[in-house]
Amino acid sequence: MVRVRFAPSPTGNLHIGGGRTALFNWLFAQSQKGKFILRIEDTDKERSKKEFVDEILYSLKWLGFNWDELYYQSERFDRYRMHADKLLKSGLAYIEKSPEGKEAIIYKVPAQKIIVNDLIRGQIEFDSSLIKDQVLIKSDGTPTYNFACVVDDAEMNITHIIRGDDHISNTPKQALIYEALGFPLPLFAHLPLIMGVDGGRLSKRTGATAISDYRKMGYLSEALLNYLLLLSWAPGDNRELISIKEAVGLFDIKNVNKTAVTFDLKKLDWMNNQYLKTADPEKLADELIPLLEAKNYINKDNFDRRYLLELVKLFQARLPRLNDFLDWADFFFLEEPVMDEAAVKKHLALDLSKELKLFADRLDKLSDFSVVNIEGAFRDLVAELGIEAKKLIHPVRVALTGKTIGPGLFELIFCLGKEKSIRRLLKWAK
């Protein structure tokens, strides 16, 4: 049976690179009807924090990854010591004492050629004569990364190691330890580096942000998964939108691209918008309620959910991120809109008192305040005034919302309501 593992270190949050590695491991396990193992590599007692463990577990669950087994390296120190002692007794390792008298166990690296058949990159050759002797157990009693990895992967029967290509340099060191301990070598697949749009390594500025932060910014997990999936793999036929369920049936680790890929936030925004367009408004409203409450836009115990759903439906096809709703729709919740000074200067600098008063009057006289009737009243007015619709549409939008862009004007007026719309229009009539 195929068994893969994702092995994050809880010295920080789960970031985009780790998220993609987890995805490709989980996806491969699903496609092969195998097992997905989660191993928390918390041997660094100083830097490993419970809050990072909690964040990693939460982020993986949010992405939809359910693990079959969970291990903590901090609970396995006796296993590492046992295998290190085994190498000592066989003469393949030796003890080195520090000036303070503390002992470290070192593996003596033999000179040989190492060949690894990488499932993505093909055959990779290494010369072990260029590798210095490897510390197995440090003088403080903790295992080194490479040694603990080998022991764990062997004892957990990991068949495939799928990880970032920054670990390629660790592969020959681990291969030597596998051989020394008499363990079979698993198959390796090294995923390409994720670059920023500036051509450099991914940074916070170019997207190296915690997975949990993407959720807070208003990205849907389905959209983020879809985007991460396309960082090194493609379903074919130039498709960009694909559900994770469908991807399971198409995924082959050997088809992963080996060249570096670019993480583009604009592309992620586009993809998130595609998912927001078809998302369930009820679920989006549930996500928005605590955010709206935090800005004092609503009282969660006393607000009109049906009205909120109408606003969600009005905006969801336009939003790059769900959280943009807070800024784009703020004028619905505020007593007075926050005015964009540039928009006021451009569209309300001229005296439009006559036109705004007339439109407010037409709205007031509507017995059936519907989108169709609102548009009819507007079209009739501009025809009577002999002006182009755009000459009045933009000033009306700015007067009502303080913004130059947004949903359709007539739908906007309907949702804003007759009384509030008239009051805001008349405020700009001298």
Side-chain angles (χ1 to χ4, degrees), residues 91-138:
L92 297 176
Y94 58 91
I95 289 177
E96 184 174 274
K97 287 189 177 182
S98 69
E100 296 80 25
K102 294 183 177 181
E103 295 183 348
I105 300 177
I106 316 291
Y107 169 65
K108 185 169 179 56
V109 173
Q112 65 185 68
K113 181 185 288 187
I114 302 165
I115 299 176
V116 174
N117 290 307
D118 191 287
L119 294 175
I120 295 172
R121 299 174 176 278
Q123 184 171 294
I124 308 175
E125 291 190 11
F126 304 92
D127 181 358
S128 70
S129 65
L130 303 175
I131 301 173
K132 65 180 182 179
D133 288 356
Q134 295 293 294
V135 178
L136 304 179
I137 303 292
K138 292 181 278 189

Side-chain angles (χ1 to χ4, degrees), residues 238-254:
N238 293 317
R239 292 180 60 193
E240 292 187 300
L241 299 177
I242 181 171
S243 71
I244 196 68
K245 184 177 181 181
E246 185 181 359
V248 168
L250 298 173
F251 186 76
D252 186 337
I253 192 68
K254 294 178 182 178

Side-chain angles (χ1 to χ4, degrees), residues 30 33 85 160 273:
Q30 293 293 308
K33 295 182 171 51
D85 287 341
H160 296 72
N273 172 256

Side-chain angles (χ1 to χ4, degrees), residues 343-352 428 430:
V344 171
K345 188 175 181 180
K346 183 176 181 180
H347 297 292
L348 291 172
L350 296 176
D351 186 1
L352 295 169
W428 292 92
K430 299 173 184 176

Side-chain angles (χ1 to χ4, degrees), residues 72-84:
Y72 291 85
Q73 283 191 332
S74 58
E75 299 173 355
R76 294 176 48 78
F77 276 29
D78 59 329
R79 304 302 301 167
Y80 310 134
R81 184 72 200 202
M82 184 198 79
H83 285 289

